Amino acid sequence: MSVLPTVEKETGAHPAWSIIWLHGLGADGNDFAPIVPELASPPWPAVRFVFPHAPVQPVTINGGMAMRAWYDIYGFDLMAQQDEAGIRASIKHLDALIAREHERGIPSERILLAGFSQGGAIALAGGLRYPEKLAGIIALSTYLPLAPLLAAERSAANADIPIFWGHGTVDPVVILQRGTDSRAALEALGYHVAWHTYLMPHAVCPQEIADLRQWIGERLR
């Protein structure tokens, strides 16, 4: 599989770590690139941030309009009917991005996966199934897709992967209950989720960035 086009930001020469960050529905890799100067901390080792562009495809909930999307969404109830084929295709795209970081000298245990909304769903689905140990997963304003299949498909290498989850208490897109249900499903399988809620809609906020900076810093050791 060819590697998706990306926007990349490096915090220093010869990065020793990589963070692959997946955008939400209808956005692109530029969406979160501006967060790097605010998020990165000077004591960190050099990090390569990789912001891929999702493929362009029709999205049913938006009247079939073509836009960048990691998978199709059929209706507002995200759990009622899921685009399993599309989700699995995007997991393969994520695997290819991880493989390219390997080729550039970054081992799996120094790669974090991050994503917002749809991108967070793929970071979770792909990271928990990835066969080699990863450094962590950052799930922002999202949910766990294909949850009933995870127990049979999850990777033993990432059974204890650290997970940061941030969610808005007034999110009208991925409602808070969707997030708490996903957290419960993960915890039932033994995963540890660092759970954070913020008084915000479907967005990110300064306190979330501050909490995430601290959490990432604890991983980069």
Side-chain angles (χ1 to χ4, degrees), residues 63-115:
M65 184 183 300
M67 62 188 64
R68 292 198 181 276
W70 296 107
Y71 51 90
D72 195 7
I73 296 180
Y74 303 120
F76 187 73
D77 185 349
L78 299 172
M79 310 304 283
Q81 182 183 6
Q82 299 185 60
D83 177 16
E84 181 175 346
I87 292 168
R88 293 192 186 279
S90 282
I91 290 173
K92 290 181 180 178
H93 281 302
L94 181 57
D95 289 346
L97 289 161
I98 295 171
R100 187 175 66 170
E101 293 311 294
H102 290 171
E103 293 168 1
R104 297 198 282 189
I106 309 295
S108 295
E109 62 267 22
R110 291 193 172 192
I111 297 174
L112 291 98
L113 305 181

